[in-house]
């Protein structure tokens, strides 16, 4: 088959004290990755392998006796479904990436307690993707004889450098007052150069390189951005009992226009170690350490397209006389006021260590207000543009986080447990001057909505209330009107606006991707030189927007359907669980609705690791400081009621307003690793 992935990595870390005052070092991590790719997620018309595999007719063989492969054209309905095995055997997509991460640094002690540090890091990358789609691919290509062979070569060369310079002063006065002050500046630059070539008219499928075809198009783009920051921080402690930290940074980003590039982001935090107070001494045998802390600060976000604030141009032909002339036309609107998205956050926490360190508990409450959000807002079609990137709206995230660490057994056989759980609520507080909701699409039109009073990126569609079991119910409940309106056996939807009929205006919020809580637990065991750790990770109360049901659950008989949909309405006497099968759907049966929102709660045995460390004396005999061999299993097993492969799937993850969509999500990989750790 066509997929595979290899990665080769090396790492070198060197540092040395060159003089009594000067210390320097270098870190290098070169890597090479190569793989054969395929489009796994996405719709069937885009050759999403997972969706194609699930939607293919189960009564067709993968391959006929004459060697040809079945596809959707082999049916009475003539559906354009390509055989996924055929694609995997013939599709060519080779990816290569060479990358080098490197950092050099130097620290110099100017005076006692005063030091300067400077570092320079680079991230160099060279990535290429070669795709060849032979003439035997394309829906129905086997029946027609061939489809146009196509090829492309895409590459990107990039570098990112980061220079950090800090001056640090540390001093303790009278064995009571400790102060650490830091000031510095950083500069960062990213440069990308991308190129693309396309080719067609290949004479055959034997030579996939672009030189064998006819170049018919391409693209070339250069993008770059810079970030300059000034920062300062002061830490103060009195007898390790009263703690204070003040920080301020000022960042300038080239992603924003002149006059609005700079943002100032201050923060303060304080801590009180109650266990050091006289009134806590009576509890010291039980409470070994108790600290109350709090913080409040402002942070910024500039993660938008590099030239998002500018009105960009695109190629566009126009008529000049009787000739078509190539030219340019506006593609996006300028927004010179576009600036930093800001987060204002309050944190209050309590840390406790009990029973001589056998138990440690941490609890945190946080409240984060994000405002001036960087969002693409839909524009009226009369404007000639689709969206405009704006600073718009306000969102609140609020929740609790708890951590429990215990040392259960501490003798020859050791067992410790780390447990964490967190609860978060998300609510949109404001959206522009009119408060109009923002709609977004992922896989299907208008699948998500961001509206005041609800979580951002909520699922949007019809709310199913049942099935029209018989003709009498069609007169009792609101129906979809018209020629393709509701029939007995069709889905009965909620009349949200109360006008007596079901129309697109009755679509509403039907769920969201925000879980009730997330949790994790790690058990670590050790006996003599053996160690074992097991990491469990879970999510509870998360909705998954299973849009694979737009194909697997439409009951049109033009493709495969999910097995549980066999329990469908057949008659008033056999109502079943799901709506009726119908070659020409009526009553909005196939529209996006709450039936596609499924419980994605899961518990994953995320990692199991077993290792053996050579005794120190034995390692010393072979001139080693440490030697450990280990075996790991990642994603050992997942427990979930979700029927698709991966409850964590999220199609189109680049848009924060369209979370939680499963459109042929790739299954979780179970990974086995054998390794050796050597210390010199």
């Amino acid at each position: 088959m066509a997929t595979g992935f290899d990665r080769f990595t090396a790492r070198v870390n060197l540092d040395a004290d060159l003089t009594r005052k000067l210390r320097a070092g270098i870190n290098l991590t070169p890597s090479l990755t190569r793989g054969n790719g395929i489009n796994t997620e996405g719709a069937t018309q885009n050759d999403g392998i997972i969706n194609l595999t699930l939607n293919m007719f189960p009564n067709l063989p993968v391959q006929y006796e004459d060697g040809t492969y079945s596809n959707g054209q082999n049916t009475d309905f003539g559906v354009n479904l390509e055989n996924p095995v055929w694609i995997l055997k013939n599709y060519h997509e080779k990816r290569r990436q060479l990358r080098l991460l490197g950092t050099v640094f130097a620290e110099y002690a100017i005076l006692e307690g005063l030091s300067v540090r400077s570092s320079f890091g680079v991230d160099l990358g060279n990535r290429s993707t070669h795709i060849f789609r032979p003439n035997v691919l394309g829906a129905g290509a086997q029946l027609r004889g061939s489809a146009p062979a196509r090829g492309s070569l895409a590459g990107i060369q990039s570098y990112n450098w980061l220079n950090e310079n800090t001056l640090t002063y540390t001093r303790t006065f009278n064995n009571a007052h400790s102060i650490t002050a830091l000031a510095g500046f950083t500069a960062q630059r990213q440069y990308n150069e991308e190129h693309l070539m396309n080719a067609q008219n290949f004479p055959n499928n034997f030579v996939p390189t672009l030189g064998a075809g006819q170049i018919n198009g391409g693209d070339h783009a250069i993008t770059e951005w810079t970030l300059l920051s000034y920062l300062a921080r002061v830490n103060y402690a009195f007898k390790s009992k009263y703690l204070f930290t003040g920080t301020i940074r000022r960042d300038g980003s080239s992603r924003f226009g002149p006059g609005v590039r700079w943002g100032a982001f201050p923060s303060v935090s304080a801590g009180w170690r109650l266990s050091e107070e006289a009134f806590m001494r009576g509890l010291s045998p039980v409470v070994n350490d108790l600290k109350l802390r709090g913080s409040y600060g402002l942070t910024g976000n500039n993660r938008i397209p590099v030239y998002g604030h500018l009105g960009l141009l695109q190629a566009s032909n126009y008529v000049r006389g009787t000739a078509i002339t190539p030219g340019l036309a506006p593609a996006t609107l300028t927004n010179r006021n576009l600036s930093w998205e800001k987060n204002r956050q309050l944190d209050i926490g309590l840390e406790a260590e009990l029973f001589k360190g056998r138990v440690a508990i941490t609890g945190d409450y946080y409240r984060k207000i994000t405002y001036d959000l960087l969002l693409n807002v839909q524009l009226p079609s009369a404007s000639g543009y689709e969206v405009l990137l704006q600073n718009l709206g306000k969102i609140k995230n609020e929740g609790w986080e708890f951590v429990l660490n215990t040392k259960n057994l501490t003798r020859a056989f050791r067992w410790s447990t780390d447990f964490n759980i967190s609860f978060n609520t998300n609510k949109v507080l404001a959206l522009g001057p009119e408060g109009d909701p923002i709609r977004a699409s992922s896989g299907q039109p208008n699948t998500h909505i961001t509206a005041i009073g609800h979580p951002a990126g909520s699922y949007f569609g019809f709310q199913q209330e049942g099935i029209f079991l018989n003709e009498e119910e069609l007169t009792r409940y609101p129906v979809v009107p018209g020629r393709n309106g509701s029939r007995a056996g069709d889905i009965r939807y909620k009349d949200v606006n109360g006008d007596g009929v079901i129309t697109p205006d009755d679509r509403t919020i039907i769920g969201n991707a925000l879980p009730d809580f997330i949790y994790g637990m790690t058990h670590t065991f050790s006996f003599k030189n053996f160690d074992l750790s097991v990491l469990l990770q879970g999510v509870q109360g998360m909705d998954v927007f299973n849009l694979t049901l737009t194909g697997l659950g439409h009951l049109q008989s033009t493709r495969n359907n999910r097995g549980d949909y066999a329990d469908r309405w057949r008659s008033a006497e056999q109502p079943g669980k799901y709506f009726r099968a119908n070659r020409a759907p009526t009553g909005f049966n196939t529209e996006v609705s709450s039936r596609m929102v499924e419980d994605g709660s899961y518990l994953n045995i995320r990692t199991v690791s077993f290792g053996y460390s050579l005794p120190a004396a034995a390692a010393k005999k072979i001139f080693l400081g440490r030697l450990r061999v280990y075996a790991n299993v990642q994603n050992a097993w997942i427990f979930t009621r979700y029927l698709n492969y991966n409850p964590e799937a999220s199609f189109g993850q680049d848009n924060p307003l369209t979370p939680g969509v499963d459109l042929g999500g790739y299954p979780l990989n179970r990974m086995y690793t054998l390794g050796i750790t050597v210390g010199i």
Side-chain angles (χ1 to χ4, degrees):
M1 296 297 182
T3 61
F5 180 81
D6 296 310
R7 177 167 55 200
F8 306 91
T9 304
R11 183 177 292 110
V12 177
N13 297 324
L14 298 173
D15 62 83
D17 295 321
L18 303 181
T19 69
R20 185 172 58 87
K21 292 188 174 185
L22 180 62
R23 181 170 176 264
I26 183 172
N27 306 316
L28 293 175
T29 305
S31 64
L32 171 66
T33 59
R34 61 188 186 189
N36 299 323
I38 199 76
N39 183 25
T40 55
E41 296 186 315
T44 56
Q45 61 266 31
N46 296 324
D47 289 346
I49 289 296
I50 300 298
N51 253 336
L52 280 171
T53 302
L54 295 173
N55 279 272
M56 279 297 291
F57 295 90
N59 59 319
L60 294 178
V62 173
Q63 189 174 12
Y64 294 110
E65 293 182 359
D66 63 1
T68 61
Y69 286 76
S70 64
N71 59 47
Q73 293 288 339
N74 301 139
T75 68
D76 294 336
F77 303 112
V79 184
N80 286 331
L81 289 178
E82 185 60 272
N83 189 309
V85 177
W86 179 249
I87 293 176
L88 286 167
K89 285 182 174 293
N90 291 277
Y91 184 80
H92 170 109
E93 180 175 327
K94 291 191 177 294
R95 303 171 182 171
R96 299 288 186 272
Q97 177 171 296
L98 183 63
R99 189 178 185 187
L100 175 64
L101 298 173
T103 303
V104 293
F105 72 90
E107 296 180 3
Y108 184 75
I110 302 172
L111 299 170
E112 182 180 355
L114 181 64
S115 63
V116 62
R117 176 186 170 96
S118 183
S119 66
F120 187 85
V122 295
D123 181 356
L124 306 177
N126 191 320
R127 185 169 72 245
S128 66
T129 302
H130 176 217
I131 295 176
F132 180 69
R133 189 179 178 86
N135 59 20
V136 295
L137 288 182
Q142 294 183 80
L143 296 181
R144 295 196 306 268
S146 67
R150 306 192 303 271
S152 67
L153 178 63
I156 177 170
Q157 291 78 43
S158 66
Y159 68 80
N160 182 303
W161 60 257
L162 172 63
N163 175 229
E164 298 179 314
N165 305 277
T166 57
L167 185 68
T168 305
Y169 176 73
T170 302
R171 189 167 180 181
T172 301
F173 303 91
N174 301 325
N175 294 321
H177 305 275
S178 299
I179 185 170
T180 299
L182 178 145
F185 70 92
T186 68
Q188 186 176 12
R189 183 172 188 261
Q190 170 82 31
Y191 175 90
N192 293 336
E193 183 169 0
E194 303 177 52
H195 54 79
L196 170 69
M197 287 191 296
N198 298 315
Q200 61 181 8
N201 296 332
F202 288 80
N204 53 53
N205 297 325
F206 299 117
V207 182
T209 53
L210 267 60
Q214 183 180 72
I215 303 298
N216 68 321
D219 195 11
H220 181 224
I222 295 176
T223 59
E224 53 187 328
W225 57 262
T226 56
L227 182 68
L228 183 63
S229 304
Y230 300 95
L231 53 99
R233 183 179 68 239
V234 175
N235 297 328
Y236 169 77
F238 176 69
K239 293 185 176 181
S240 299
K241 184 190 301 185
Y242 307 112
L243 312 170
F244 172 82
T245 299
T247 302
I248 186 168
R249 62 180 299 144
R250 184 166 169 80
D251 299 310
S253 174
S254 65
R255 296 174 187 261
F256 304 121
V260 291
R261 287 178 174 168
W262 289 91
F265 307 105
S267 67
V268 294
S269 64
W272 179 21
R273 184 163 275 113
L274 288 83
S275 54
E276 296 296 319
E277 298 290 353
F279 61 79
M280 290 291 296
R281 289 174 184 168
L283 297 176
S284 59
V286 176
V287 182
N288 312 126
D289 190 20
L290 183 64
K291 184 170 73 172
L292 178 66
R293 51 179 169 77
S295 65
Y296 182 82
L298 194 67
T299 58
N301 170 33
N302 69 335
R303 292 189 295 272
I304 60 171
V306 176
Y307 306 116
H309 71 287
L310 294 175
L312 303 180
L313 300 176
Q314 63 182 0
S316 178
N317 296 332
Y318 65 97
V319 177
R320 186 179 181 182
T322 59
I324 297 178
T325 304
L328 297 172
T332 60
L333 283 171
T334 295
N335 184 354
R336 299 188 183 279
N337 296 319
L338 193 68
S339 188
W340 290 85
E341 177 180 292
K342 303 175 185 68
N343 300 295
R344 192 169 56 233
Q345 183 162 338
L346 169 70
D347 287 275
I348 300 175
L350 184 68
E351 299 176 7
E353 187 177 291
L354 312 174
F355 307 112
K356 297 181 180 181
R358 294 287 296 270
V359 178
I361 303 173
T362 302
D364 283 278
Y365 164 79
Y366 64 88
R367 187 174 187 269
K368 182 172 73 171
I369 303 295
T370 303
Y371 59 99
D372 290 341
L373 283 81
L374 294 165
L375 298 176
N376 277 312
V377 181
Q378 291 178 326
L379 297 176
S381 57
S383 70
Y385 300 91
E386 295 182 357
V387 295
L388 174 63
L389 186 59
Q390 300 183 43
N391 289 110
L392 185 73
K394 183 186 296 185
I395 293 178
K396 179 180 72 173
N397 281 279
E398 187 174 25
W400 295 84
E401 296 178 344
F402 300 97
V403 177
L404 174 64
N405 309 111
T406 61
K407 297 178 181 178
N408 309 313
L409 299 174
T410 59
R411 298 192 177 184
F413 180 77
R414 297 174 179 269
W415 170 29
S416 63
T417 301
D418 301 321
F419 174 78
N420 65 82
I421 187 169
S422 62
F423 307 83
N424 180 68
T425 59
N426 176 281
K427 185 178 181 181
V428 178
L429 302 179
L431 285 175
E434 303 298 329
D436 295 331
I438 300 173
R439 297 186 185 183
S441 303
S442 180
Q444 294 288 323
N446 295 319
T447 53
H448 294 73
I449 189 170
T450 297
I452 294 175
H454 300 277
S458 294
Y459 306 151
F460 186 66
F462 291 98
Q463 180 68 52
Q464 180 174 343
E465 291 191 320
I467 304 293
F468 288 109
L469 300 179
N470 49 52
E471 294 292 333
E472 187 272 334
E473 288 197 353
L474 290 169
T475 63
R476 196 194 320 166
Y477 299 104
V479 299
V480 177
R483 179 179 178 182
N484 293 320
S486 302
R487 309 284 191 273
D490 288 345
I491 297 175
R492 176 164 56 86
Y493 292 118
K494 182 177 181 179
D495 182 15
V496 173
N497 63 6
D499 63 358
V501 293
I502 302 300
T503 67
D505 292 336
D506 290 305
R507 288 175 297 176
T508 186
I509 291 176
I510 53 177
N512 63 78
L514 190 70
D516 295 335
F517 59 88
I518 60 176
Y519 60 97
M521 179 181 292
T522 301
H523 292 282
T524 303
F525 308 90
S526 65
F527 180 72
K528 294 185 177 180
N529 297 98
F530 294 93
D531 62 87
L532 171 68
S533 67
V534 180
L535 170 61
L536 309 175
Q537 181 262 327
V539 172
Q540 187 64 36
M542 175 183 69
D543 294 332
V544 177
F545 212 174
N546 185 8
L547 291 187
T548 58
L549 292 179
T550 57
L552 286 175
H554 63 10
L555 294 177
Q556 293 183 34
S557 302
T558 57
R559 57 185 69 192
N560 192 21
N561 282 269
R562 209 168 70 178
D564 57 331
Y565 275 69
D567 183 17
R568 65 184 185 274
W569 187 95
R570 300 172 189 270
S571 67
E573 294 73 26
Q574 293 180 285
K577 179 181 178 182
Y578 295 102
F579 59 95
R580 68 187 180 119
N582 188 3
R583 181 67 179 90
T586 56
F588 290 167
N589 285 344
T590 59
E591 293 296 317
V592 173
S593 71
S594 58
R595 72 181 177 89
M596 301 173 185
V597 178
E598 301 184 351
D599 182 14
S601 303
Y602 67 87
L603 171 62
N604 188 2
I605 304 178
R606 182 70 68 180
T607 306
V608 179
S609 178
F610 179 73
Y612 174 78
S613 297
L614 196 67
K620 188 175 181 180
K621 290 181 179 179
I622 55 176
F623 307 103
L624 295 177
R626 183 189 180 209
L627 177 65
R628 179 177 180 266
V629 294
Y630 61 89
N632 291 345
V633 180
Q634 293 185 17
N635 299 315
W637 197 262
I638 186 168
F639 302 90
T640 181
R641 294 181 179 178
Y642 184 59
L643 295 181
N644 274 22
Y645 295 124
N646 184 3
E648 295 180 309
S650 188
F651 179 73
Q653 299 180 47
D654 56 333
N655 188 350
L657 298 185
T658 58
V661 171
D662 184 359
L663 191 59
Y666 198 77
L668 286 173
N669 293 313
R670 181 175 295 136
M671 184 182 301
Y672 301 91
T673 304
L674 296 174
I676 300 176
T677 301
V678 177
I680 300 177

